[in-house]
Amino acid sequence: MTQPLQMMADRKDDAENDLGVALKTRPKTQRPPMYKVLLLNDDYTPMEFVVHILERFFGLNHAQAFEIMLTVHKKGLAVVGVFSFEVAETKVAQVMDFARRHQHPLQCTMEKE
């Protein structure tokens, strides 16, 4: 009967002697900054073309694309999505290249959120 009591006493002594253990705190990782991709209105790019771009490059359904296109048309610009720097940069390049190949002056930019 004394052995289990002795083991409990040993454990208590061990817990009291654990003062030398250093706990290393991990630096908190920060999320990368996000970037808004914006479409800008112009007087020449057809609305249907803008809807097509929104569906093709941003994966929006027709109703969502139409809604954003109307926002661009009425307010002069609209946020199309928020992405990491690399993704935003790629989407801007894709849209600009596609618009140029189809001879439209559509402007697409990005800015830090």
Side-chain angles (χ1 to χ4, degrees):
M1 247 346 209
T2 60
Q3 190 170 357
L5 290 175
Q6 184 60 41
M7 286 175 60
M8 287 177 68
D10 289 344
R11 282 192 204 135
K12 186 176 178 189
D13 289 342
D14 288 346
E16 289 173 359
N17 293 331
D18 283 346
L19 299 176
V21 175
L23 297 177
K24 200 176 209 181
T25 57
R26 285 182 156 183
K28 200 169 191 177
T29 54
Q30 292 182 352
R31 287 192 162 173
M34 300 299 278
Y35 291 80
K36 298 184 282 191
V37 174
L38 303 135
L39 275 184
L40 307 174
N41 189 41
D42 65 73
D43 294 332
Y44 303 101
T45 305
M47 292 179 178
E48 299 80 28
F49 186 77
V50 175
V51 169
H52 178 70
I53 279 188
L54 292 168
E55 292 171 344
R56 179 174 178 157
F57 296 107
F58 297 94
L60 301 175
N61 66 39
H62 188 74
Q64 293 168 321
F66 192 82
E67 202 59 40
I68 290 175
M69 177 276 299
L70 283 179
T71 302
V72 171
H73 181 69
K74 291 176 183 174
K75 296 189 176 183
L77 65 96
V79 174
V80 182
V82 179
F83 309 96
S84 68
F85 178 82
E86 292 80 10
V87 172
E89 187 177 49
T90 300
K91 291 201 179 283
V92 168
Q94 288 173 328
V95 169
M96 294 295 289
D97 180 56
F98 192 74
R100 296 301 158 266
R101 282 190 281 130
H102 289 85
Q103 300 178 353
H104 294 299
L106 182 67
Q107 293 293 306
C108 186
T109 63
M110 59 189 263
E111 65 181 42
K112 202 169 191 177
E113 188 177 43

